[in-house]
Amino acid sequence: MKLTQHTVRLFLAEPLRISRSTMTARDAVRLTVEHEGLSGHGEAVTSVFYGLDTPTLQRLAARTGERLTRFAGPETALHALRVGELLPPGTPGAVTAATEAALLDLVGKRTATAVHSFLGAPVAPRAATARTISLTSPGRAAAQARGLAEAGFSVIKIKAGDRDQEADLDRVRSVRAAAPAAMLLLDPNGAWSAGQARALLPRFADLGIEAVEQPLAPGDPEALARLAAHSPVPVIADEDAVTYEDARRLAGRVHGINVKLAKCGGVHAALRIAALIEGSGTDLMLGCLTASTLGIAPAVHIADRARWTDLDGHLLLAHDPWTGIGGDDGFVGADGSPGLGVRPRAEAGRAVS
């Protein structure tokens, strides 16, 4: 087998402002595994929060390619990845997830099988996805929410954590008025103290918020669990729930865990977490980083497991170099095609040296 890599710059259609940063673009490193005339693809994106810049991803991709040459085919390499024998300990989840995606895509194409089928879902998953509204003015948020509702979105995620807490409340009020039938999720990205959260959550509950993601700064999961125990709004752990062990500590103590493949290490790692929390009182949310359709697609193939689906990263882009999972109408889904079921657009994006 041979692995090649290619890096593109993904520009956002408009800046995404959250409590800790504003993003306008990020790099995506595509991993392509070739074997016997077929190719499988996966994608890892840069992340300041997780300490992954472009040179690091490129270096790790090259190391992955060297290790893949030891295996006779993608099936044996995929098994080795699952049991921890392909990549060295400490490999970032984003690289593990991208490698797994490329191998799954390739195995699916070799067997004419959609990825969701050999992950245990006989019917191609289709789920209503949230669409994110960043920290912006109430008027702008209302206009966006109105447009999303008209397009078919039934779930809207609103970023919070503004220095002016009343501005967060005004933003939610404006979205609620513009999209009265939508389910609203709130995401402060860890911007609040425990005291602020206790004061604010009842007010957001009165506005009909469905759930709140990571209201407290990550690093103290016990504080998050204490908040969840008395919160009038369901609390979903995100930055405090990266690994299987993180999920084990929080299972039954928060209302939800946001599983992102780039955090946990891919679909099989995500399914392990889903099995762990099943029946515990903690529900699964499937989230993502801003990425292309290629980067989002693996999560779509397990979207039938989630209570909340937030797979809109590709919808935030000015130009998505891949297609195949939809989303513009508020729903993402797999179509039953072999592998991940995605394909490159005619124009593949601007290469980065």
Side-chain angles (χ1 to χ4, degrees):
M1 287 187 299
K2 176 185 176 183
L3 183 145
T4 57
Q5 60 174 289
H6 180 68
T7 302
V8 297
R9 177 68 49 81
L10 301 176
F11 293 97
L12 277 66
E14 60 181 63
L16 177 63
R17 181 183 168 220
I18 66 175
S19 60
R20 61 174 178 255
S21 63
T22 299
M23 182 174 62
T24 59
R26 73 184 342 149
D27 286 350
V29 178
R30 184 185 76 226
L31 308 186
T32 298
V33 180
E34 302 173 59
H35 184 67
E36 295 181 346
L38 293 173
S39 299
H41 308 284
E43 179 181 274
V45 295
T46 54
S47 170
V48 173
F49 185 81
Y50 292 108
L52 294 175
D53 58 18
T54 305
T56 298
L57 287 177
Q58 292 170 335
R59 174 177 55 81
L60 293 171
R63 185 178 69 179
T64 300
E66 294 170 358
R67 299 177 79 93
L68 277 173
T69 60
R70 307 173 187 176
F71 297 91
E75 294 82 3
T76 56
L78 187 59
H79 174 75
L81 182 71
R82 294 174 186 170
V83 299
E85 295 177 355
L86 173 58
L87 300 177
T91 299
V95 176
T96 303
T99 304
E100 180 196 49
L103 292 171
L104 285 170
D105 191 32
L106 182 52
V107 171
K109 291 172 180 174
R110 281 165 58 83
T111 59
T113 305
V115 164
H116 63 82
S117 295
F118 51 75
L119 293 176
V123 178
R126 184 173 185 265
T129 180
R131 182 69 156 78
T132 300
I133 293 178
S134 68
L135 292 180
T136 187
S137 69
R140 174 66 175 152
Q144 291 178 331
R146 190 174 299 110
L148 292 173
E150 291 172 354
F153 284 86
S154 59
V155 187
I156 297 175
K157 183 163 86 168
I158 308 165
K159 290 295 185 179
D162 201 299
R163 291 181 181 180
D164 178 0
Q165 294 168 5
E166 293 300 322
D168 284 340
L169 289 155
D170 288 342
R171 189 178 307 108
V172 172
R173 289 190 192 100
S174 68
V175 170
R176 171 56 73 207
M183 175 194 297
L184 302 186
L185 304 173
L186 190 69
D187 186 8
N189 290 104
W192 297 338
S193 68
Q196 289 171 329
R198 287 192 296 269
L200 288 168
L201 286 177
R203 301 179 69 185
F204 283 112
D206 290 342
L207 296 174
I209 288 293
E210 163 77 9
V212 59
E213 287 183 60
Q214 195 68 42
L216 305 183
D220 190 353
E222 293 301 314
L224 193 67
R226 288 193 298 271
L227 177 68
H230 303 287
S231 174
V233 175
V235 173
I236 301 171
D238 183 356
E239 289 90 342
D240 269 328
V242 175
T243 67
Y244 181 88
E245 286 304 310
D246 292 338
R248 184 183 60 79
R249 283 189 289 269
L250 287 170
R253 305 177 67 206
V254 294
H255 303 92
I257 288 178
N258 187 350
V259 173
K260 298 175 181 174
L261 304 192
K263 290 194 306 182
C264 70
V267 292
H268 283 92
L271 292 175
R272 285 188 69 217
I273 293 174
L276 168 72
I277 65 177
E278 186 175 6
S280 71
T282 297
D283 290 315
L284 179 69
M285 179 178 190
L286 271 178
C288 65
L289 303 181
T290 304
S292 78
T293 282
L294 175 60
I296 305 297
V300 171
H301 284 268
I302 58 172
D304 54 319
R305 272 79 162 185
R307 173 178 172 181
W308 302 285
T309 302
D310 181 23
L311 299 177
D312 69 337
H314 62 305
L315 302 177
L316 306 180
L317 301 179
H319 170 72
D320 184 353
W322 294 80
T323 186
I325 60 172
D328 290 333
D329 61 350
F331 291 86
V332 291
D335 66 3
S337 300
L340 292 175
V342 302
R343 56 197 177 277
R345 294 186 191 271
E347 63 281 8
R350 185 170 65 85
V352 178
S353 61

